[in-house]
Amino acid sequence: MRSLKSAMQVACVGLAAVMGTAAATELKSMSPGDLRVLQERLRDAQCYTGAIDGTASAATEAALKRCPVMDPILVIETGMHTASINGIGTDRDCRLLATGSDDKTVRLWSLPDGRPLRILRLPIGPGEDGKIGAVAVSPDGGLIAAGGWDATWPTQQKTGLYLFEAGTGALKAHVGEFGDVIFHLAFSPDGRYLAATLASQGLRVIDTQRLAEIAADRDYADYSYGAAFAPDGRLFTVAYDGFVRAYDRGFHLIKKVATRGGKRPFSVAVDPKGQRVAIGFTDSTKVEVYKTADLSFDFAANTNDISNENLGRVTWSSDGQRLLAAGGYDVLINNTWNYPVLIWDREGHGQRHQQAVALNTIQHVLPCGNGFAIGASDPLFGLLDQNGMPRLTKSGVSVDMRYKLGDGFQVSRDGRQVRFGLGNGNATPVLLDLGRASLSEGASAASLAVPKIAGLAVTNWMDNRTPKLAGKALKLEQYEMSHALAIAPDATRFVLGAQYAIRLFNAQGKEQWEKPVPGEAWGVNVTPDGRLVVAAYDDGTIRWHRMSDGQELLAAFVHKDDRRWVAWTPSGYYMASPGAEDLIGWHVNRGFEQAADFFPASRFRERFSRPDVVQKVLDTLDEATAVEQANREANIRPNTAPVASKLPPVIKIISPADGGVVRNQEVTVEYELRSPSGLPVDSVEILLDGRPTRGLTRTDAQVNGTRREHQVVSIPARDVEIGLLARSGALASEVSKVSLKWGASAPAAAPAADEQLKPKLYGVIVGVSRYQDPTLALRYAAKDARDIAAALRAQKGGLYRDVELNVLTDAQATKVAVEDALEALNKQVTSRDVGLVFLAGHGIQDNRNAYYYLAADSDPNRLLSTAVGGVVLREELRALSGKVLVFLDTCHAGRAMSAGTRGVDINSLINDLSSAENGVVTFASSTGREASQENDSWGNGAFTKALIEGLKDKADLSGKGKITTAALDFWLSERVKELTGGSQHPVMIRPSTVPDFPMFVTVH
């Protein structure tokens, strides 16, 4: 593993600020307004001491040198780690687990259920800055410690560790001024002291009460990855210099002994009695035990039959009866390499057994309750019982990009289509088609090309540290391993994908360019036209690079489980499948003494949701040119405002606590409110079970710093989820939410009144087959509307006491009539009811990517004045009081296209409607630019046919007579694919704030 110092040789180091790359020499060129925003952010980050005067000053320059990178940084966010879990930590009672990763996040999980609690965000920077090498949890579960490749290094040439409050996620302190990467952290049994071992300069001990370094031992000759406390407070460490060291309770070195089993001892664990210390190695498969009293050798566990890799991670069970080891040791099971844990009973002297638990290197093991906790590079974490059997495992959702070679990684001539496996190699292949904005399972396309590996004498390139051209070594970084090769179509150049970089070489082996990687490059390919290098990385991304200089043009991430995907340019312009836009977002540092902010991409949808830019960048090979062309064609004025000048508010509920019990329908909610960019906060909005209730205008819109406020919220007499959302103009915060349990008895209802307690279903049902322009005619859209209306009316007397529908078909469905019906729906639906909108017909987009539904009298050439705009639809639906369901069957073939319009890409509209602030559950007949199909044999469109079947009884997957949103989604997805031979893929998106709920009952 590289140290921070060597990593910085390939990382991009510079003084970046909120306005772009605002190095000190560029401050004078910034506008006064931009400077003030920069200075306000520096002051918020506790780096600025000068007056806020809007002028470049020495104070501003000094602040930039004291702060981490201030530019917002695009990162992936899946709810789970996207890179190797390097360290884990648990509390004494095994109720809390912390995991730290190369993806630069620390995540907290409740145990034993594995429920995510919160994400702790440290300051990060380019390259390796911010990667987490180690985490630890205090025995009482109150503190989380984290460290690794600290972002302080580029500006201050030092590293420190971070202490977070587990209960709130607040950053308590940034402690220490170490000279290199932190590789391991361990709390003392009383939680008072924290030991940190480093890549160089050995050991440091921090007093967590005084928040200061109190002891150090710099006399280490190499990396140290292991430290462990004995129950009585003695400390033991190991290092790659080959020694195990013992320290007394005052942290004085009392003994240092060379290990016998290997020259690189990696981890150390003290048994619960404090009598023995176990050691694992990275350069051998030995597991040794020494006596803590004098570090004399005691015994070696039986590993004589194990010869591959290492068992570098060791721990004892909580009762000391079992010794566990794991690491890089792997075994082949059903043609897949698995990584097991090995467990010896009888305090390490007894019989050994093993249990496969991961698909990649196991990086950390700890005792937890009556079993063990593990963290692995998959990424994966898990809880094992005392015999190593998994009780809980949670894996990452990133695509396994290992060995994307041959058929496992194919690209089209223009790079718009990429075929790859979601699993290792070519396992579970999918086709990502950026032209159609779709992802298809098992699909292929004409003229896809595999990586070319013939035509030049490149050898030793696969999993080798010494690749060669014609027998001559190609230069890589020290310890770097090459994984993948792609030779250009004309054989004049070739690309190597490796651990630390991708590199282009000419035919003589001279390096043309080198680009640091976000993760190991497991696959590379060159498009047949020779313009692009496409690479598959360990972080689960595919990235497109310009062949001429390696500049990244585009990146894409696919969620391997639910198949959501997003593609984005370096500046953040993106296109996303339904529900996928928040797989990326902006990380914003707030100095070294405060936790960083994170803003999902959806918070900036209006500016950055630009499929047109994504489509063009592979043609122009330049992002700025793609943006310029797209803006010109869409007649959009360029928006050059820095992202950080328009950050949305940040709101966080302080009380009541999540999972709390309430007995009163009036609940006082206390919250913290911040405006990172200093923008006025106009309102705070209350959501109940994901639906907006009311916006509260604030008397003082200015928010300086962090302000505490409260609101009294009226809730129903049942379990409920309360959410708060803050608005600054068009900018909306993320929703902060808590789930509350109703602890009082609900008022008894008289039997005769039961029917009156049911909600009503109100709906607007629209279908247009006959348009003023006969070339737009459809066969079944109007019939679809009438048939759906009949199916919905049959729901009366089930979940709903009544069903009231406004059905508009063909000539009735004018623009005015549809908009009037939506407005009337708004007046009908109460907080207890359900509002439903069904639209069948044509949907199209104008040259600004805005969605319109074509009414019967719409003119595709005059959309603004004659069609129903997506903005109108969104605002009317958002204003509804109750639950809201939308069914869109408006993606018919591009017969609605004319000058200035295009066939609809439904993804953007679905993402807009189903945002948390809108709270709309949206079903759509297809995704991307797929066409919705009709067929005479069905007598309906495929989507409507499947929907009617589902409402009757087919979507009752539980057999209990009720149809939930999730069940209907599953039924529609499978049935429509069956009807259309897999060419149409319906989708349902439910906001994260809206729970699954029953919508309908079966009707026989």
Side-chain angles (χ1 to χ4, degrees):
M1 183 178 292
R2 297 176 295 168
S3 72
L4 177 60
K5 293 176 182 176
S6 64
M8 287 300 96
Q9 294 172 2
V10 298
C12 175
V13 180
L15 293 175
V18 64
M19 298 305 141
T21 307
T25 55
E26 299 176 356
L27 289 173
K28 293 180 180 179
S29 66
M30 296 170 63
S31 70
D34 287 350
L35 271 168
R36 279 193 294 273
V37 173
L38 169 59
Q39 291 165 340
E40 288 285 359
R41 291 205 58 235
L42 289 170
R43 184 167 65 179
D44 175 61
Q46 301 179 7
C47 300
Y48 194 78
T49 58
I52 302 297
D53 56 7
T55 61
S57 65
T60 308
E61 291 187 24
L64 285 170
K65 293 176 182 178
R66 289 193 301 270
C67 262
V69 171
M70 296 298 285
D71 267 335
I73 300 169
L74 266 176
V75 297
I76 300 168
E77 178 49 60
T78 69
M80 174 57 180
H81 292 295
T82 58
S84 174
I85 294 175
N86 296 323
I88 63 173
T90 63
D91 64 325
R92 183 187 298 113
D93 298 327
C94 195
R95 307 298 297 176
L96 179 69
L97 175 73
T99 54
S101 169
D102 274 347
D103 67 10
K104 306 184 182 183
T105 66
V106 175
R107 295 170 189 266
L108 300 188
W109 315 87
S110 70
L111 296 179
D113 58 0
R115 180 172 57 91
L117 297 175
R118 58 184 52 86
I119 303 171
L120 307 180
R121 297 190 184 273
L122 287 67
I124 69 172
E128 307 218 350
D129 299 353
K131 287 186 176 181
I132 309 300
V135 294
V137 178
S138 63
D140 65 0
L143 283 181
I144 310 297
W149 289 258
D150 196 345
T152 54
W153 182 263
T155 58
Q156 302 180 34
Q157 302 296 294
K158 62 187 180 184
T159 64
L161 60 87
Y162 295 84
L163 289 173
F164 289 87
E165 296 175 354
T168 65
L171 178 56
K172 179 179 179 179
H174 181 224
V175 186
E177 296 185 359
F178 314 142
D180 216 326
V181 180
I182 298 170
F183 280 158
H184 190 78
L185 293 167
F187 274 100
S188 61
D190 61 2
R192 174 71 183 268
Y193 302 109
L194 181 65
T197 60
L198 313 175
S200 63
Q201 302 182 38
L203 166 73
R204 308 297 171 83
V205 179
I206 299 295
D207 186 322
T208 63
Q209 294 182 6
R210 293 166 51 194
L211 300 177
E213 180 182 314
I214 61 166
D217 182 356
R218 292 174 172 81
D219 188 22
Y220 284 51
D222 211 330
Y223 296 171
S224 177
Y225 283 96
F229 282 91
D232 61 2
R234 288 175 297 158
L235 177 64
F236 297 83
T237 69
V238 290
Y240 274 11
D241 59 10
F243 289 97
V244 54
R245 292 167 169 86
Y247 300 84
D248 63 18
R249 287 185 289 273
F251 307 112
H252 303 104
L253 180 66
I254 55 176
K255 190 104 179 189
K256 177 172 112 171
V257 173
T259 53
R260 298 169 43 160
K263 295 181 180 180
R264 290 187 171 183
F266 184 86
S267 69
V268 57
V270 182
D271 81 310
K273 296 178 181 179
Q275 298 175 350
R276 295 161 301 169
V277 58
I279 297 172
F281 302 83
T282 59
D283 61 342
S284 84
T285 57
K286 298 291 185 181
V287 175
E288 295 187 333
V289 177
Y290 294 75
K291 296 176 181 178
T292 60
D294 57 5
L295 291 186
S296 60
F297 179 77
D298 191 358
F299 70 94
N302 179 14
T303 62
N304 294 334
D305 57 335
I306 298 175
S307 58
N308 78 76
E309 290 296 337
N310 67 77
L311 294 169
R313 290 76 178 170
V314 296
T315 195
W316 299 92
S317 61
S318 297
D319 61 5
Q321 294 301 304
R322 290 170 175 79
L323 175 62
L324 179 146
Y329 168 59
D330 55 1
V331 293
L332 190 63
I333 302 176
N334 296 327
N335 295 318
T336 300
W337 289 103
N338 287 257
Y339 291 72
V341 294
L342 277 63
I343 298 177
W344 295 264
D345 58 18
R346 294 178 49 216
E347 301 178 333
H349 294 279
Q351 184 177 357
R352 186 192 83 207
H353 67 276
Q354 67 184 40
Q355 174 65 47
V357 295
L359 296 176
N360 210 326
T361 302
I362 297 172
Q363 297 285 13
H364 203 174
V365 292
L366 289 173
C368 196
N370 62 357
F372 304 93
I374 65 165
S377 290
D378 297 46
L380 171 145
F381 70 83
L383 282 183
L384 315 178
D385 67 16
Q386 59 184 354
N387 297 312
M389 291 294 294
R391 293 161 42 199
L392 162 73
T393 58
K394 188 175 183 67
S395 299
V397 298
S398 306
V399 172
D400 186 348
M401 289 299 184
R402 287 177 293 174
Y403 304 111
K404 293 294 181 265
L405 310 168
D407 290 344
F409 196 46
Q410 305 175 50
V411 298
S412 63
R413 180 174 181 79
D414 60 4
R416 278 190 168 83
Q417 296 172 315
V418 182
R419 190 175 190 268
F420 56 96
L422 297 181
N424 193 323
N426 196 31
T428 318
V430 294
L431 178 71
L432 177 62
D433 189 334
L434 297 175
R436 298 184 67 225
S438 67
L439 182 80
S440 304
E441 297 181 33
S444 189
S447 303
L448 291 177
V450 301
K452 181 180 178 181
I453 59 174
L456 290 173
V458 183
T459 58
N460 287 12
W461 55 266
M462 185 174 177
D463 292 346
N464 202 302
R465 290 190 170 91
T466 57
K468 298 177 181 179
L469 174 65
K472 183 180 178 181
L474 298 165
K475 185 179 179 181
L476 299 182
E477 216 180 311
Q478 186 178 16
Y479 304 126
E480 184 177 18
M481 185 172 288
S482 171
H483 293 307
L485 168 71
I487 298 173
D490 60 4
T492 62
R493 296 168 292 178
F494 64 95
V495 180
L496 282 183
Q499 274 182 285
Y500 307 149
I502 59 169
R503 297 174 174 82
L504 179 73
F505 297 86
N506 64 17
Q508 290 73 47
K510 183 178 180 180
E511 185 178 281
Q512 305 295 289
W513 51 255
E514 168 194 314
K515 292 295 179 182
V517 296
E520 296 186 52
W522 288 103
V524 290
N525 205 337
V526 177
T527 54
D529 62 11
R531 298 163 68 243
L532 295 163
V533 175
V534 189
Y537 291 109
D538 197 46
D539 67 347
T541 62
I542 291 174
R543 298 178 189 249
W544 289 254
H545 299 263
R546 195 162 53 204
M547 182 71 162
S548 60
D549 60 3
Q551 175 64 42
E552 183 180 314
L553 300 171
L554 190 66
F557 180 88
V558 175
H559 190 296
K560 72 176 182 182
D561 292 341
D562 61 26
R563 310 308 196 252
R564 288 179 296 148
W565 61 268
V566 58
W568 68 95
T569 68
S571 295
Y573 298 101
Y574 68 87
M575 65 189 301
S577 68
E581 57 186 345
D582 286 349
L583 288 173
I584 59 171
W586 298 93
H587 173 109
V588 181
N589 291 327
R590 299 180 63 219
F592 294 114
E593 305 299 332
Q594 299 180 93
D597 283 330
F598 175 78
F599 300 96
S602 61
R603 301 304 92 196
F604 308 91
R605 181 185 300 112
E606 185 176 344
R607 176 175 175 181
F608 287 109
S609 178
R610 295 292 301 273
D612 53 342
V613 172
V614 173
Q615 296 278 358
K616 287 182 178 297
V617 75
L618 297 183
D619 292 331
T620 64
L621 300 184
D622 181 76
E623 183 186 22
T625 303
V627 173
E628 180 183 355
Q629 288 185 10
N631 285 346
R632 183 170 60 249
E633 292 178 10
N635 195 26
I636 294 175
R637 181 179 299 175
N639 186 346
T640 59
V643 173
S645 67
K646 297 290 185 181
L647 297 175
V650 175
I651 193 167
K652 180 181 179 181
I653 295 176
I654 303 301
S655 68
D658 188 43
V661 176
V662 292
R663 294 178 173 82
N664 194 311
Q665 290 186 251
E666 297 293 309
V667 177
T668 298
V669 179
E670 185 178 8
Y671 56 91
E672 288 183 346
L673 182 64
R674 261 192 310 117
S675 180
S677 295
L679 300 173
V681 179
D682 309 314
S683 63
V684 171
E685 194 167 279
I686 299 169
L687 291 80
L688 293 180
D689 291 332
R691 287 296 303 149
T693 57
R694 56 194 173 105
L696 305 176
T697 302
R698 305 182 71 253
T699 56
D700 181 6
Q702 258 346 102
V703 178
N704 296 317
T706 300
R707 175 182 293 184
R708 283 211 173 191
E709 300 180 349
H710 69 273
Q711 299 284 358
V712 177
V713 179
S714 297
I715 63 171
R718 57 173 172 79
D719 294 353
V720 69
E721 183 179 88
I722 296 177
L724 294 184
L725 177 145
R727 292 186 181 272
S728 291
L731 296 172
S733 73
E734 278 292 277
V735 175
S736 178
K737 55 187 180 181
V738 292
S739 296
L740 301 177
K741 297 184 180 298
W742 182 251
S745 299
D754 282 351
E755 188 67 22
Q756 295 304 312
L757 293 176
K758 290 182 179 180
K760 292 180 68 173
L761 174 64
Y762 294 95
V764 173
I765 314 297
V766 185
V768 180
S769 295
R770 299 178 183 177
Y771 291 88
Q772 290 183 350
D773 181 349
T775 64
L776 301 179
L778 296 169
R779 285 175 292 177
Y780 292 108
K783 182 175 182 293
D784 285 349
R786 291 189 293 268
D787 291 350
I788 284 294
L792 292 174
R793 289 190 177 105
Q795 290 291 318
K796 180 177 180 179
L799 289 179
Y800 306 106
R801 71 178 188 273
D802 200 1
V803 177
E804 294 187 17
L805 306 177
N806 190 346
V807 182
L808 303 171
T809 59
D810 286 338
Q812 301 171 313
T814 63
K815 168 185 167 67
V816 171
V818 173
E819 292 182 351
D820 284 349
L822 293 172
E823 184 178 356
L825 183 68
N826 215 318
K827 297 175 181 178
Q828 293 173 308
V829 177
T830 72
S831 61
R832 295 174 50 225
D833 299 323
V834 175
L836 183 149
V837 173
F838 175 92
L839 298 179
H842 282 301
I844 61 176
Q845 286 173 298
D846 65 10
N847 60 354
R848 296 192 177 195
N849 301 303
Y851 170 90
Y852 288 88
Y853 173 69
L854 291 187
D857 58 345
S858 294
D859 181 348
N861 297 304
R862 295 188 301 117
L863 293 174
L864 188 63
S865 58
T866 68
V868 180
V871 172
V872 173
L873 179 64
R874 179 193 67 200
E875 291 305 308
E876 292 291 350
L877 293 173
R878 182 181 172 276
L880 290 178
S881 297
K883 294 183 175 70
V884 183
L885 303 171
V886 173
F887 296 85
L888 299 172
D889 193 0
T890 65
C891 298
H892 295 283
R895 285 170 282 177
M897 293 181 66
S898 61
T901 65
R902 63 191 73 184
V904 69
D905 175 357
I906 198 68
N907 294 347
S908 297
L909 176 65
I910 299 171
N911 285 328
D912 190 6
L913 290 177
S914 56
S915 287
E917 65 267 29
N918 297 325
V920 177
V921 179
T922 307
F923 291 81
S925 60
S926 56
T927 60
R929 297 189 182 280
E930 290 179 347
S932 295
Q933 300 183 25
E934 302 177 311
N935 192 295
D936 291 337
S937 65
W938 308 330
N940 290 111
F943 180 70
T944 300
K945 176 177 175 58
L947 179 56
I948 291 172
E949 291 175 346
L951 293 180
K952 184 178 181 182
D953 60 8
K954 298 294 186 181
D956 177 20
L957 303 182
S958 67
K960 297 180 179 179
K962 292 185 178 180
I963 299 169
T964 66
T965 57
L968 184 58
D969 173 39
F970 182 83
W971 165 255
L972 289 174
S973 175
E974 295 302 310
R975 180 57 170 152
V976 171
K977 282 192 290 185
E978 178 186 353
L979 289 169
T980 63
S983 62
Q984 183 178 332
H985 301 83
V987 65
M988 181 276 289
I989 298 298
R990 186 177 65 246
S992 60
T993 52
V994 176
D996 189 22
F997 62 92
M999 303 178 296
F1000 307 110
V1001 296
T1002 57
V1003 178
H1004 297 283

